[in-house]
Structures are given as C-alpha cells and as structure tokens.
Amino acid sequence: MIELRDEPADGPAARALFHQYMALVRERLGDEDFAPVERIFANENAFAAADSAWIVVYLDGEPVGCGGLRTLEPGIGEIKRMFVAAPARGTGVGRRLLRALERRAGEADHTHVRLLTTPMLREACGLYAAEGYAEIERVDRGGPVEIWLEKRLA
C-alpha cells in the first residue's frame, strides 16, 4: 500500500531518505566527499512556509520517498529534494509523489513548476520527461551538468 504523508522536512523519515539520496549522488559522482549545497538542495527551512509542502511516501509502512515544494516567485513553484529509494523505483511511487507535489503547487496558485536535476539521475530524468517537463536551461559549472526543467500546470 502506498501512503503519502505531510511531515516535517527535518523529521526522521526525511533525514533518513536524504542520507540515502546523498549516498546515491556520491556513488554516481564517484566522490565520497561530495557535500550538498543549498543552491541545489535547499535546506529544511525552505519547506516551512505556508505555501510550501513536504511529503514523505510510505510503501507498506516504510518510508521510501520524499520531496518538497517551495515558491520561487509568484506563480512559480519549485520541487526540491525529490527522491525515491532504490527498492521502490519502478513501482509508481515517484510518479504519485510528483503529481502530489504538482497538485500542491496548483493549490498555492502556481501556474508553473520547476525543478533542477542532472543526467546522472537518469531515473528521475525519465520520469520528468514522461510527465511533461521541458528543459529551460542547462548549466555546466565544471561538475555535474545542471538541468532546469519546467512544466505548465493545467
């Protein structure tokens, strides 16, 4: 059974999932010393505003995914820290989480939602493409290429 819960971005499930997310990034980068930067990952406070959201996904009672929404500017929301643990990938958990965050964006009067990803997160890139996200900017800062994607909400 899949269950989506509003929880604090600094709660135990969110922290454990973020730890797994960083382990995946370090593994794919081949860099055990990689440290997350706020510009890319934000921090827990980014999801505390009234028009923000933090959702944890549970599969059969176990936390397997999470993601947050914050406002970038009027009418534009940003999805951050979206992650699905390896055992839950391919089960539809990511798609349900993404759509829940998009619904929240609509409820916050956003007409567009953006997110930042990188080609090394190939599963995420595939999901975003399948869900109608289009590339609006590509940045190469000498590390992993950063890809900004955007979707117009219905």
Side-chain angles (χ1 to χ4, degrees):
M1 180 175 89
I2 298 173
E3 182 182 3
L4 285 78
R5 300 181 194 168
D6 290 311
E7 294 189 6
D10 62 352
R15 287 186 185 274
L17 288 162
F18 189 66
H19 179 73
Q20 290 178 48
Y21 184 16
M22 290 301 97
L24 172 70
V25 170
R26 288 181 184 107
E27 175 187 316
R28 293 204 178 162
L29 282 174
D31 181 359
E32 291 183 22
D33 297 325
F34 173 79
V37 294
E38 182 171 352
R39 179 180 58 77
I40 296 173
F41 296 98
N43 64 45
E44 292 85 3
N45 296 330
F47 311 106
D51 60 351
S52 297
W54 184 263
I55 299 173
V56 176
V57 183
Y58 289 80
L59 180 61
D60 298 326
E62 294 297 319
V64 296
C66 61
L69 171 74
R70 68 178 180 175
T71 297
L72 276 181
E73 60 187 69
I76 300 177
E78 180 185 22
I79 293 172
K80 297 296 265 183
R81 292 190 179 200
M82 189 166 146
F83 173 73
V84 174
R89 291 185 199 134
T91 65
V93 165
R95 189 172 312 278
R96 288 202 37 198
L97 174 59
L98 182 61
R99 289 178 180 174
L101 290 166
E102 290 173 351
R103 275 192 302 278
R104 293 293 182 83
E107 291 167 3
D109 294 325
H110 297 312
T111 58
H112 293 78
V113 68
R114 292 183 186 159
L115 56 85
L116 179 65
T117 192
T118 180
M120 75 173 178
L121 299 174
R122 58 191 169 276
E123 301 90 345
C125 290
L127 171 63
Y128 302 141
E131 288 295 309
Y133 283 79
E135 184 176 323
I136 58 171
E137 184 178 8
R138 186 175 285 248
V139 180
D140 186 348
R141 300 178 194 275
V145 172
E146 299 172 4
I147 303 171
W148 278 100
L149 302 174
E150 182 177 270
K151 180 178 179 178
R152 180 172 178 76
L153 299 173

